[in-house]
Amino acid sequence: MACVLETPLRMSVLSEVTASSRHYVDRLFDPDPQKVLQGVIDMKNAVIGNNKQKANLIVLGAVPRMVSLRGDPVVFQIPQEFTLMKRLSKTWLLYLLQQETSSTELRTECAVVLGSLAMGTENNVKSLLDCHIIPALLQGLLSPELKFIEACLRCLRTIFTSPVTPEELLYTDATVIPHLMALLSRSRYTQEYICQIFSHCCKVRMQALKCFSVLAFENPQVSMTLVNVLVDGELLPQIFVKMLQRDKPIEMQLTSAKCLTYMCRAGAIQTDDKCIVLKTLPSLVRMCSKERLLEERVEGAETLAYLIETDVELQRIASITDHLIAMLSDYFKYPSSVSAITDIKRLDHDLKHAHELRQAAFKLYASLGANDEDIRKKIIETENMMDRIVNGLSESSIKVRLSAVRCLHSLSRSVQQLRTSFQDHAVWKPLMKVLQNAPDEVLVVASSTLCNLLLEFSPSKEPILESGAIELLCSLTQSENLALRVNGIWALMNMAFQAEQKIKADILQGLSTEQLFQLLSDSDVNVLMKTLGLLRNLLSTRPHIDQIMSTHGKQIMQAVTLILEGEHNIEVKEQTLCILANIADGTTAKELIMTNDDILQKIKYYMSHSNAKLQLAAMFCISNLIWNEEEGSQERQDKLRDIGIVDILHKLSQSSDPNLCDKAKTALQQYLA
C-alpha cells in the first residue's frame, strides 16, 4: 500500500536556498536521533504560517529512487534545473516517517511537518504527491500508535482537500476504506479527519456515500462533524437532499435518506428541519410503495421506522403520508400463491424476501404506533393485522419474531386495545411461548409487553397468571441482563396490584426472601424502584399487610432501615417511606414500627427533612400510627409525643406547603379527639 524510500544521498546545496533553510535540512542527517528529532521539531516551528520557508525546504532536493513494498523499483527523473545535491527535505521526512526504527515521536513530528508543507501552495501539494506521499501516509495508519495515526490522518486530510489531489487516489486500494472506517472509533480526531476526507471525496462516489451512512449511525460526534462539512461551498446535508431527487438512482436516494436519518437520530439535524419533514420522510415513504423492488421496500421501511421511532410528530406525519399504514399491509402478501406464479425465479425471489418484508413492516408499524392512540387504532384495523402479529410471534425467523413482538409491545400501550383486540385474539398465548425459549434480545421486548398485559384492567392478566407466569417472571429477576431484571420485577409489581392474597403469597414464595433482598441491594436504581413498588403493592389491604409482615416482617423492616440509611435519591426514599406508611396501616403490623426505636427516629428525621415529598411520606406513617379509632391508638400517641413528634406537627401546621399544613393539622386533631 505504501512506498519505502531509500536513504537519500547527501549532495551540494542550491545557491538559491537560504542558509537558514539549509540549516534545518542539514540537521536531519545528524547521526544522533535526538538531534534529528529536535531538527524536525524546529523545522515544524519554522514553517508554520510561512509559505516561503515551506517552498525553500521543498526545493532543497528532488525525489530520488523509491522502492515499493513489493521491492519493485520506481525510478523518477531528476529535473535538470536542480543540482545533484537536492536532498529534498520532504523526501527525507518521508524516509524517516516510514522507518520502523524511527521513534514514534519522530515519525509523528515528520507527519506534522509534511502536513504543514501541504498547507502551503498547490505546487507544494503536487510536489508531495509526486513523492507518493499518500501511500506512505496510508501505511502509517497501520501503526498501533494513536498520536502517529492522527498525525498521518491530519496530513491526508490536508492533501485530499486540496483541489490538485485526484479523489481516485483514495480508492486505488480496496483495503483503505474499511481500514479508515475501523479507525473512526479511535478518537474524536480520527473521526473528524476521516469524515473530512470522505466528505471531499464523495462528490461522485456511491461508495463514499455509503461510508457516510455507516459513519453517522448512532454516532453523535461524527454526525455533528458531517453536518458542518462544506463541499465546494455547500453543506453536506444539502448535497444529500439533492441526492433524494427522483431523477437520481434509487440506490443514491435510499443511501442519502439513510445519511440524513442517522444524522437526525444522532441529534445533528432537528426532527422538525425541512430536510427531514419535507424531503427525507416523504422519500422513505415513497420507497415503501409497490412500484419499488422488494429489497428497496425493505430498506425504505426499516430506515423510516428508525427515523420516526422516538418522535411523535414524525410518527403522525408518516401515518398520513401516501396511505402508508394501508400500503404496509401489502408487505405480508409475499410470496404470492404458487399457482399464480409461472416464473420460478420470481417465486424464489419472493420467498427470499418474504421474511425481510414482514420484519420491516412490523418494525415500521411498531414505530408508527409508539405514542398515538389514533394511529394504533388504524394499525389494528388494518386487514388481518392481529392475526398477522400472532402468526409472526411463531415464525421460524428470529428477526421476524423480534419485530412482531416489538409491534405487539407498541400496540399494547393502548388501554382500549388491551381490553378488546388483545383479548379477542388471545395474543398472550403465543407471547408466553416466545418467553419460554428465546434469546435475550427477544426476551427483553416480550417481557416488556407482558408488563402491559398484566396491568389491572387487562383481561389477559388472569389467564397469564394461570399459565405459570409467576415462576417465569421470578426467574427473569435473577438474570444478569439488566433489562430482563427490570422487566421481571416490573411485571410482578403489576401482577401484585390489587391482587388476591394467594397471588401475593405465590410471588413471595417464587422470589424467596434472599432474592428479594438481592433486588433491594441492586446497584441499578430502576431495579430498586420497581422492587419497592412490588413491596408496596404486596403490602396493601390490612389482612394482606398483617399476613405478609407476620412471616416476612423482620426482613422487610431490615431492608427499609438499610435503604433509609443509604445514599439513595429522593424517589427511592419516598417510596420506602410509603411502604412504612402501608405497614403502619396494618392492624398488627404497625407494632413492628412502634417497637423499633430506630425506625421511629428515622420517621421523625424525615418529617423535618428539607424535601417536601419526604416530609409528606413520613407524615402518612404518623397519621396511620396515631389514628384514634384504632385499638392501642392512645399508647401510640403517647409514645410519639414523648419522642417529639407533636412538636414537629405543630411546626408543620404553619408550613407554607398546603399539603404538609393540612396533613399536620389532621394529625393534631387525632390528639385532640
Side-chain angles (χ1 to χ4, degrees):
M1 183 167 69
C3 298
V4 179
L5 300 174
E6 289 184 339
T7 307
L9 299 174
R10 302 197 63 174
M11 306 172 190
S12 61
V13 189
L14 291 174
S15 58
E16 309 93 71
V17 180
T18 65
S20 60
S21 297
R22 279 202 307 274
H23 169 70
Y24 291 123
V25 177
D26 287 340
R27 294 171 67 185
L28 300 181
F29 300 93
D30 198 290
D32 184 346
Q34 281 302 118
K35 290 183 178 179
V36 173
L37 173 60
Q38 190 58 49
V40 174
I41 293 173
D42 291 344
M43 183 184 292
K44 175 185 70 175
N45 296 332
V47 299
I48 292 175
N50 190 331
N51 284 346
K52 183 177 179 181
Q53 189 71 281
K54 292 174 185 178
N56 282 343
L57 290 171
I58 287 178
V59 86
L60 275 172
V63 184
R65 184 169 172 269
M66 301 178 73
V67 181
S68 72
L69 286 182
R70 294 187 180 92
D72 303 322
V74 183
V75 181
F76 298 89
Q77 295 296 321
I78 299 177
Q80 293 180 356
E81 60 268 27
F82 293 148
T83 68
L84 288 177
M85 172 143 187
K86 298 173 181 174
R87 295 180 298 202
L88 189 56
S89 59
K90 64 179 185 301
T91 305
W92 187 254
L93 289 169
L94 279 173
Y95 171 76
L96 294 173
L97 180 141
Q98 293 178 96
Q99 293 305 297
E100 293 185 2
T101 54
S102 298
S103 68
T104 300
E105 187 178 5
L106 175 58
R107 298 173 78 191
T108 302
E109 293 294 345
C110 287
V112 171
V113 174
L114 288 166
S116 185
L117 295 176
M119 293 178 72
T121 65
E122 291 182 2
N123 285 334
N124 289 5
V125 177
K126 288 178 182 178
S127 180
L128 291 169
L129 290 173
D130 290 341
C131 287
H132 287 209
I133 189 174
I134 289 178
L137 291 169
L138 291 175
Q139 181 72 19
L141 300 183
L142 300 176
S143 167
E145 301 295 336
L146 180 58
K147 290 295 182 184
F148 179 52
I149 291 172
E150 290 174 345
C152 289
L153 283 172
R154 187 162 55 247
C155 186
L156 283 166
R157 183 271 311 272
T158 303
I159 291 170
F160 273 113
T161 53
S162 169
V164 301
T165 305
E167 298 166 10
E168 290 74 17
L169 290 176
L170 187 64
Y171 304 98
T172 53
D173 187 330
T175 65
V176 169
I177 297 297
H179 186 63
L180 287 173
M181 292 176 65
L183 291 174
L184 273 170
S185 61
R186 292 293 301 274
S187 75
R188 70 183 183 89
Y189 292 113
T190 61
Q191 291 176 346
E192 178 184 342
Y193 302 147
I194 291 170
C195 286
Q196 289 171 336
I197 291 168
F198 281 159
S199 68
H200 188 78
C201 299
C202 78
K203 300 173 190 173
V204 294
R205 298 280 184 176
M206 266 304 299
Q207 184 180 15
L209 189 59
K210 290 178 181 178
C211 285
F212 281 127
S213 69
V214 175
L215 296 175
F217 183 65
E218 294 186 344
N219 196 325
Q221 198 167 21
V222 168
S223 293
M224 290 305 296
T225 300
L226 290 177
V227 81
N228 294 309
V229 166
L230 283 171
V231 180
D232 292 340
E234 194 169 22
L235 286 170
L236 199 55
Q238 295 171 345
I239 294 174
F240 292 154
V241 168
K242 288 182 178 179
M243 292 178 175
L244 294 174
Q245 295 173 358
R246 297 186 187 217
D247 61 342
K248 302 297 182 186
I250 295 298
E251 184 183 17
M252 180 175 286
Q253 293 182 49
L254 261 173
T255 311
S256 298
K258 276 187 173 181
C259 291
L260 290 163
T261 292
Y262 298 160
M263 291 163 75
C264 178
R265 283 300 305 271
I269 301 176
Q270 296 298 311
T271 55
D272 59 356
D273 192 293
K274 289 181 180 179
C275 75
I276 298 298
V277 177
L278 301 180
K279 299 294 183 181
T280 308
L281 188 149
S283 296
L284 289 171
V285 172
R286 193 168 67 243
M287 295 300 159
C288 298
S289 67
K290 289 182 180 181
E291 287 72 33
R292 300 267 54 88
L293 297 175
L294 298 187
E295 47 266 48
E296 292 166 356
R297 296 174 76 184
V298 168
E299 197 169 356
E302 291 191 336
T303 306
L304 181 57
Y306 185 65
L307 173 65
I308 68 174
E309 185 179 17
T310 59
D311 190 89
V312 179
E313 191 57 33
L314 289 181
Q315 291 160 10
R316 289 173 180 158
I317 294 170
S319 71
I320 58 173
T321 302
D322 293 346
H323 307 286
L324 177 63
I325 292 176
M327 188 194 301
L328 288 175
S329 66
D330 189 63
Y331 278 50
F332 297 93
K333 298 177 181 177
Y334 293 89
S336 307
S337 60
V338 177
S339 59
I341 296 181
T342 55
D343 188 341
I344 297 300
K345 287 186 177 180
R346 180 187 161 195
L347 174 60
D348 182 62
H349 180 265
D350 286 5
L351 285 168
K352 180 181 178 182
H353 289 92
H355 287 115
E356 294 176 358
L357 283 163
R358 291 195 292 278
Q359 173 192 341
F362 281 137
K363 275 186 181 179
L364 186 44
Y365 276 136
S367 290
L368 284 165
N371 294 285
D372 191 280
E373 185 67 20
D374 290 336
I375 297 176
R376 292 189 193 113
K377 188 172 184 293
K378 289 178 183 177
I379 292 172
I380 288 178
E381 290 174 351
T382 303
E383 179 186 3
N384 301 323
M385 188 64 212
M386 292 306 296
D387 289 333
R388 286 168 175 162
I389 292 175
V390 169
N391 292 335
L393 294 174
S394 305
E395 284 220 19
S396 58
S397 167
I398 187 69
K399 291 183 178 179
V400 176
R401 288 209 308 276
L402 176 58
S403 297
V405 172
R406 281 179 174 157
C407 183
L408 186 65
H409 179 238
S410 180
L411 299 176
S412 72
R413 296 181 178 128
S414 166
V415 174
Q416 179 63 28
Q417 302 309 326
L418 282 175
R419 287 174 169 165
T420 55
S421 301
F422 276 48
Q423 181 65 11
D424 295 342
H425 293 81
V427 296
W428 65 269
K429 290 183 180 179
L431 182 66
M432 288 299 291
K433 287 184 180 178
V434 169
L435 283 161
Q436 298 300 327
N437 184 23
D440 281 3
E441 187 180 16
V442 177
L443 280 177
V444 168
V445 188
S447 55
S448 291
T449 310
L450 192 63
C451 288
N452 292 343
L453 267 62
L454 285 169
L455 289 168
E456 181 265 336
F457 50 76
S458 170
S460 302
K461 182 174 182 177
E462 188 173 340
I464 290 173
L465 283 169
E466 293 172 353
S467 68
I470 291 177
E471 183 180 354
L472 170 68
L473 295 172
C474 288
S475 67
L476 290 182
T477 66
Q478 300 178 38
S479 173
E480 292 183 3
N481 185 305
L482 173 58
L484 288 179
R485 289 205 307 280
V486 171
N487 288 346
I489 201 69
W490 196 338
L492 289 171
M493 182 185 78
N494 288 349
M495 188 184 288
F497 182 73
Q498 295 185 356
E500 298 174 356
Q501 172 82 36
K502 183 181 182 306
I503 293 172
K504 293 181 177 181
D506 288 345
I507 291 173
L508 281 169
Q509 183 178 355
L511 269 183
S512 79
T513 305
E514 182 181 352
Q515 177 60 13
L516 188 62
F517 268 88
Q518 191 71 32
L519 292 167
L520 289 170
S521 305
D522 200 288
S523 58
D524 184 80
V525 69
N526 291 319
V527 173
L528 178 54
M529 282 293 287
K530 293 297 179 288
T531 307
L532 291 171
L534 169 62
L535 265 180
R536 191 173 173 182
N537 287 348
L538 290 171
L539 294 167
S540 62
T541 74
R542 287 182 178 175
H544 297 177
I545 294 169
D546 291 335
Q547 173 61 36
I548 291 171
M549 293 305 292
S550 69
T551 54
H552 297 82
K554 182 179 178 181
Q555 295 90 337
I556 291 173
M557 295 301 288
Q558 182 182 350
V560 165
T561 302
L562 289 173
I563 293 171
L564 291 177
E565 288 178 349
E567 295 294 326
H568 297 289
N569 62 35
I570 297 298
E571 288 72 23
V572 167
K573 295 200 172 184
E574 180 189 19
Q575 188 82 302
T576 307
L577 287 168
C578 288
I579 290 171
L580 272 181
N582 283 13
I583 295 170
D585 193 40
T587 303
T588 58
K590 57 168 50 79
E591 289 306 311
L592 289 167
I593 297 177
M594 292 304 302
T595 56
N596 190 324
D597 291 340
D598 188 22
I599 287 290
L600 289 175
Q601 288 298 323
K602 284 178 171 52
I603 294 173
K604 177 183 175 182
Y605 167 77
Y606 284 107
M607 285 178 70
S608 302
H609 198 275
S610 58
N611 185 278
K613 288 183 178 180
L614 297 183
Q615 288 180 285
L616 198 58
M619 288 284 291
F620 275 108
C621 297
I622 295 299
S623 295
N624 287 342
L625 290 172
I626 64 175
W627 203 255
N628 57 26
E629 294 178 3
E630 297 174 2
E631 184 179 350
S633 61
Q634 187 61 53
E635 290 80 1
R636 290 192 293 275
Q637 287 181 7
D638 292 343
K639 181 168 184 177
L640 293 174
R641 185 197 303 273
D642 292 342
I643 66 171
I645 296 297
V646 174
D647 293 336
I648 298 175
L649 288 174
H650 279 295
K651 288 181 183 178
L652 291 174
S653 67
Q654 306 300 317
S655 171
S656 59
D657 186 304
N659 292 325
L660 280 175
C661 179
D662 291 345
K663 197 68 180 174
K665 288 178 179 178
T666 302
L668 285 171
Q669 287 174 4
Q670 299 302 308
Y671 277 91
L672 300 174

